[in-house]
Amino acid sequence: MPRSSLVSDALVPPYQSLLQTAIKSAHTAGSIMTSATSIDKEVSVTKVNKKDLLTKIDPMCEAAIKSTILESFPDHLILGEESVEPGASASSDALSSYLSESESLNKPLWIIDPIDGTTNYVHDLRYSSPSIACSINGSIVVACIYDPYANETFTAIKNSGACLNGKPIHVKPETCLEDSVIAMGAPPGKLSAEKSIIGFEALLPKVRTIRMLGSAALMLSWVATGRLNCYWEWDLSSWDVAAGGLIVEEAGGRMRGLMMDDGRFEVGERRILADDGRCGEEVRRILKESGVFLK
Ligand code: 2AM
Ligand code: CA
């Protein structure tokens, strides 16, 4: 939907001020993450299945992010992972309902993941991060992902580029697939496990190596910085990809929806492929030919 048809520009805070709030909230959550004790980090609940973990810290981070956003923008809407029932359909339904509320109320919508990479967090594998995105008229305009262990803040503003700790970043396209480093993930669930195994087997002989790092937000950020050439995953939620998708695109990479005929990416797309602008087409073809998807 064209931007002008809904929220008028006069009602939208400047993107810079949205970004400052995104950074402040990500840093607040990051310091809660790193100051938590190992007891706080123990798993308090498993969600839909035993692999889907939740600690006491996830809702604390979500609450801190929400209050930081609402301090600056009390009337904005916020969709957060920990406020939605577990499972793919609850996640998709929540996104649709928040997007239509955002449209009908003419209000920006924030899409947040308080800790992306919760399994890493629980196991003290220091690779997890808050992920914060702001959407206007259904399009993500501002993004921030903060790695509190490496003190790396990845940001993007729509049409203004992406940065790491304030310095512009760009993807680094590899000339051939066999020199490319590909990342992937395997969220819990029988179908996504099957798809991930098929894709892994098909891709491994054709690339330099494959990594599974456990945080969609950080794997997307690493495509944007050129540390990875490509990242694909079968079953993600809007809060996993909202911020990272914009960061990849603003760094010159490309986001694709694997199930879309035209490969278009939208924030509700659960099967994604991010690339450095060069190897994605070939990776997509290999995944398709191996039967990961049919269209
Ligand atoms: P999370 O840690 O916030 O849950 C790792 O491959 C990615 O998959 C992470 O971004 C992780 O996000 C996400 N993930 C983990 N469990 C998931 C689930 N049950 N459904 C969808 N995504 C999940
Ligand atoms: Ca997540």
Side-chain angles (χ1 to χ4, degrees), residues 234-283:
W234 185 252
D235 191 21
L236 293 171
S237 293
S238 58
W239 41 78
D240 301 316
V241 298
L246 182 66
I247 293 171
V248 167
E249 286 173 343
E250 289 299 323
R254 177 165 171 193
M255 293 293 297
R256 288 175 171 79
L258 286 176
M259 300 302 280
M260 299 289 201
D261 284 336
D262 57 2
R264 197 165 24 93
F265 169 71
E266 282 174 4
V267 75
E269 171 57 50
R270 297 187 65 84
R271 288 141 289 213
I272 65 104
L273 191 160
D275 85 315
D276 59 12
R278 193 166 291 160
C279 65
E281 201 46 56
E282 220 175 331
V283 171

Side-chain angles (χ1 to χ4, degrees), residues 129-291:
S129 71
S131 171
I132 320 272
C134 182
S135 136
I136 291 174
N137 296 335
S139 155
I140 306 295
V141 296
V142 154
C144 177
I145 291 171
Y146 176 51
D147 176 344
Y149 302 103
N151 196 20
E152 292 191 323
T153 305
F154 301 90
T155 53
I157 293 183
K158 193 167 180 66
N159 299 324
S160 301
C163 290
L164 164 54
N165 292 344
K167 299 209 171 77
I169 49 171
H170 303 282
V171 292
K172 294 201 185 78
E174 212 38 86
T175 32
C176 55
L177 187 61
E178 62 186 15
D179 294 334
S180 298
V181 178
I182 310 291
M184 56 179 284
K190 192 167 178 296
L191 181 64
S192 41
E194 280 166 18
K195 299 293 184 187
S196 306
I197 291 164
I198 296 169
F200 180 83
E201 201 175 3
L203 284 169
L204 188 61
K206 301 196 164 70
V207 301
R208 177 166 290 164
T209 194
I210 297 181
R211 295 287 183 258
M212 295 174 80
L213 302 174
S215 160
L218 287 176
M219 287 185 274
L220 290 167
S221 301
W222 282 22
V223 170
T225 53
R227 296 170 189 170
L228 296 168
N229 299 103
C230 178
Y231 162 56
W232 75 282
E233 185 148 353
W234 185 252
D235 191 21
L236 293 171
S237 293
S238 58
W239 41 78
D240 301 316
V241 298
L246 182 66
I247 293 171
V248 167
E249 286 173 343
E250 289 299 323
R254 177 165 171 193
M255 293 293 297
R256 288 175 171 79
L258 286 176
M259 300 302 280
M260 299 289 201
D261 284 336
D262 57 2
R264 197 165 24 93
F265 169 71
E266 282 174 4
V267 75
E269 171 57 50
R270 297 187 65 84
R271 288 141 289 213
I272 65 104
L273 191 160
D275 85 315
D276 59 12
R278 193 166 291 160
C279 65
E281 201 46 56
E282 220 175 331
V283 171
R284 186 179 194 278
R285 184 182 52 73
I286 293 166
L287 292 177
K288 185 175 169 194
E289 285 173 6
S290 65

Side-chain angles (χ1 to χ4, degrees), residues 9-244:
D9 280 355
L11 298 176
V12 176
Y15 290 175
Q16 265 305 340
S17 80
L18 293 170
L19 182 63
Q20 288 318 312
T21 296
I23 294 171
K24 188 174 171 198
S25 61
H27 285 181
T28 304
S31 39
I32 294 173
M33 284 170 67
T34 50
S35 56
T37 65
S38 51
I39 293 173
D40 292 333
K41 286 163 72 171
E42 274 173 15
V43 175
S44 53
V45 187
T46 52
K47 297 188 192 169
V48 253
N49 64 41
K50 282 193 72 175
K51 290 186 177 178
D52 205 352
L53 311 181
L54 181 66
T55 70
K56 271 200 244 166
I57 306 299
D58 299 72
M60 275 172 66
C61 289
E62 180 154 319
I65 293 167
K66 284 184 173 171
S67 70
T68 307
I69 293 170
L70 293 174
E71 251 168 46
S72 302
F73 306 113
D75 61 335
H76 287 192
L77 303 174
I78 306 175
L79 167 62
E81 173 166 18
E82 304 314 335
S83 310
V84 176
E85 290 297 308
S89 64
S91 150
S92 299
D93 292 350
L95 177 68
S96 310
S97 109
Y98 271 86
L99 283 173
S100 53
E101 201 182 343
S102 160
E103 185 180 320
S104 64
L105 298 177
N106 273 356
K107 291 192 169 154
L109 168 66
W110 294 77
I111 302 175
I112 63 169
D113 191 344
I115 304 180
D116 186 59
T118 298
T119 306
N120 284 347
Y121 187 62
V122 168
H123 289 265
D124 205 21
L125 301 166
R126 293 160 173 247
Y127 193 77
S128 43
S129 71
S131 171
I132 320 272
C134 182
S135 136
I136 291 174
N137 296 335
S139 155
I140 306 295
V141 296
V142 154
C144 177
I145 291 171
Y146 176 51
D147 176 344
Y149 302 103
N151 196 20
E152 292 191 323
T153 305
F154 301 90
T155 53
I157 293 183
K158 193 167 180 66
N159 299 324
S160 301
C163 290
L164 164 54
N165 292 344
K167 299 209 171 77
I169 49 171
H170 303 282
V171 292
K172 294 201 185 78
E174 212 38 86
T175 32
C176 55
L177 187 61
E178 62 186 15
D179 294 334
S180 298
V181 178
I182 310 291
M184 56 179 284
K190 192 167 178 296
L191 181 64
S192 41
E194 280 166 18
K195 299 293 184 187
S196 306
I197 291 164
I198 296 169
F200 180 83
E201 201 175 3
L203 284 169
L204 188 61
K206 301 196 164 70
V207 301
R208 177 166 290 164
T209 194
I210 297 181
R211 295 287 183 258
M212 295 174 80
L213 302 174
S215 160
L218 287 176
M219 287 185 274
L220 290 167
S221 301
W222 282 22
V223 170
T225 53
R227 296 170 189 170
L228 296 168
N229 299 103
C230 178
Y231 162 56
W232 75 282
E233 185 148 353
W234 185 252
D235 191 21
L236 293 171
S237 293
S238 58
W239 41 78
D240 301 316
V241 298

